[in-house]
C-alpha cells in the first residue's frame, strides 16, 4: 500500500514538474451600419466579446484549461462569405440586431456570459506548429435586454440557457518560446438550448428548446486567440 501511494505521489510530482501555466483568450469588436433608403441616413451599432482563458499544461501532450467571458451583440469577428448562405445570414441578421441594440427606439441588447472548461491533446508537432484536439463542455447564458418593449406579449426579458459538448481540432503557431497563436476550426458535438420567454409564456406551456448534433468544419466556425506561456 505504501509503495502504491509513493508511486502515485511521484507520478504527480513528475507531471507537475513539467507543467506550465498559460493565459490568453479572444477579443473581438465589430461596427455595423445599415441603410434602408438610398437617400436616407444610415444607422450604426456595435458588438464585442471578451473571452479570457487560463490553462495548465500537464506535459508535452496534455493540457487543461478554462475560458470565461462576456459578449454583447452578435457579429463580433464574424465572417462575410456570399457563397455561404449561413455565413451571409449570420452577418446580415447580426448586423441588424447590433444596430437595433444601439437605437433609441428599441435599445435591444443581447448580453452573453460563457463558461467553458476543456482538455487538450496535442497529437503532432511539426516545426513551430502543434496540432491538437480539444474536448470540452460549455455553458452560455444569453439575455435579450429590453426585447419586451417591442414584443408586448413578453412580461420579462427572454433568456437562453445553452449547453455544448464537443471536440474541436486546432493549430498552435509558436511565435516564440512563450507566445502562441491558437486557431480552432470547426466542431463535432452536441448542443442543447432552452428559451425562457417569461412566466406568462411558461404558464401557457410555451417552452421552446433545441437539440442539435452535427459536424462543422469551415471558416465560419473558426476562432483565433493568443496565449502567453509562463
Amino acid at each position: 500500500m505504501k509503495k502504491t501511494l509513493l508511486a502515485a505521489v511521484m507520478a504527480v510530482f513528475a507531471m507537475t514538474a513539467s507543467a506550465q501555466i498559460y493565459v490568453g483568450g479572444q477579443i473581438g469588436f465589430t461596427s455595423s451600419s445599415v441603410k434602408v433608403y438610398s437617400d436616407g441616413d444610415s444607422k450604426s451599432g456595435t458588438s464585442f466579446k471578451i473571452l479570457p482563458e487560463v490553462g495548465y499544461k500537464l506535459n508535452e501532450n496534455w493540457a487543461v484549461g478554462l475560458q470565461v467571458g462576456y459578449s454583447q451583440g452578435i457579429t463580433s469577428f464574424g465572417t462575410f462569405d456570399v457563397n455561404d448562405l449561413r455565413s451571409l445570414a449570420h452577418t446580415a441578421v447580426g448586423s441588424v440586431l447590433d444596430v437595433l441594440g444601439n437605437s433609441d427606439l428599441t435599445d435591444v441588447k443581447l448580453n452573453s456570459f460563457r463558461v467553458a472548461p476543456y482538455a487538450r491533446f496535442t497529437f503532432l508537432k511539426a516545426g513551430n506548429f502543434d496540432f491538437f484536439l480539444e474536448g470540452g463542455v460549455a455553458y452560455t447564458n444569453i439575455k435579450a435586454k429590453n426585447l419586451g418593449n417591442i414584443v408586448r406579449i413578453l412580461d420579462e426579458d427572454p433568456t437562453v440557457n445553452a449547453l455544448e459538448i464537443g471536440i474541436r481540432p486546432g493549430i498552435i503557431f509558436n511565435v516564440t518560446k512563450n507566445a502562441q497563436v491558437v486557431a480552432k476550426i470547426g466542431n463535432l458535438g452536441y448542443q442543447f438550448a432552452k428559451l425562457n420567454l417569461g412566466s406568462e409564456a411558461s404558464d401557457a406551456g410555451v417552452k421552446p428548446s433545441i437539440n442539435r448534433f452535427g459536424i462543422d468544419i469551415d471558416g465560419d466556425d473558426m476562432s483565433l486567440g493568443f496565449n502567453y506561456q509562463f
Side-chain angles (χ1 to χ4, degrees):
M1 180 65 181
K2 292 183 179 181
K3 291 183 178 180
T4 303
L5 180 60
L6 179 61
V9 172
M10 292 179 63
V12 171
F13 273 109
M15 290 180 65
T16 56
S18 61
Q20 290 178 297
I21 297 175
Y22 60 88
V23 295
Q26 306 168 34
I27 59 173
F29 174 82
T30 301
S31 177
S32 304
S33 64
V34 174
K35 191 173 185 179
V36 178
Y37 299 103
S38 59
D39 58 348
D41 295 332
S42 61
K43 304 296 183 181
S44 61
T46 61
S47 63
F48 67 88
K49 64 180 177 182
I50 303 174
L51 297 170
E53 178 180 330
V54 60
Y56 193 67
K57 192 174 180 181
L58 300 173
N59 52 46
E60 289 298 314
N61 299 104
W62 284 99
V64 293
L66 175 68
Q67 185 181 74
V68 179
Y70 173 83
S71 64
Q72 185 178 98
I74 286 188
T75 59
S76 183
F77 269 179
T79 59
F80 187 82
D81 184 356
V82 295
N83 296 314
D84 187 333
L85 183 59
R86 186 184 65 170
S87 177
L88 181 61
H90 177 277
T91 302
V93 174
S95 297
V96 170
L97 289 176
D98 284 348
V99 171
L100 288 176
N102 198 47
S103 170
D104 294 335
L105 297 176
T106 57
D107 194 29
V108 177
K109 295 186 182 298
L110 297 178
N111 302 301
S112 302
F113 175 75
R114 179 178 177 86
V115 179
Y118 64 84
R120 179 183 298 169
F121 175 68
T122 301
F123 60 87
L124 177 64
K125 295 178 179 288
N128 290 339
F129 293 92
D130 298 342
F131 299 85
F132 66 85
L133 289 175
E134 186 175 288
V137 298
Y139 167 76
T140 305
N141 175 266
I142 306 170
K143 187 171 184 177
K145 184 179 179 181
N146 297 326
L147 186 60
N149 296 338
I150 301 176
V151 186
R152 299 300 180 183
I153 61 173
L154 299 178
D155 60 328
E156 58 187 83
D157 290 330
T159 59
V160 176
N161 291 296
L163 177 67
E164 305 171 43
I165 303 173
I167 299 175
R168 303 191 72 182
I171 304 173
I172 294 176
F173 175 61
N174 297 286
V175 182
T176 67
K177 181 181 179 181
N178 302 101
Q180 302 174 327
V181 177
V182 184
K184 304 174 188 178
I185 305 172
N187 185 60
L188 168 65
Y190 168 77
Q191 297 172 323
F192 171 78
K194 185 176 181 180
L195 178 61
N196 179 13
L197 297 175
S199 58
E200 291 186 4
S202 180
D203 293 341
V206 181
K207 299 180 179 180
S209 63
I210 298 173
N211 287 278
R212 181 174 182 266
F213 177 81
I215 179 171
D216 285 314
I217 302 179
D218 57 41
D220 193 42
D221 195 9
M222 181 179 72
S223 64
L224 190 66
F226 177 83
N227 285 346
Y228 184 83
Q229 186 171 272
F230 294 96

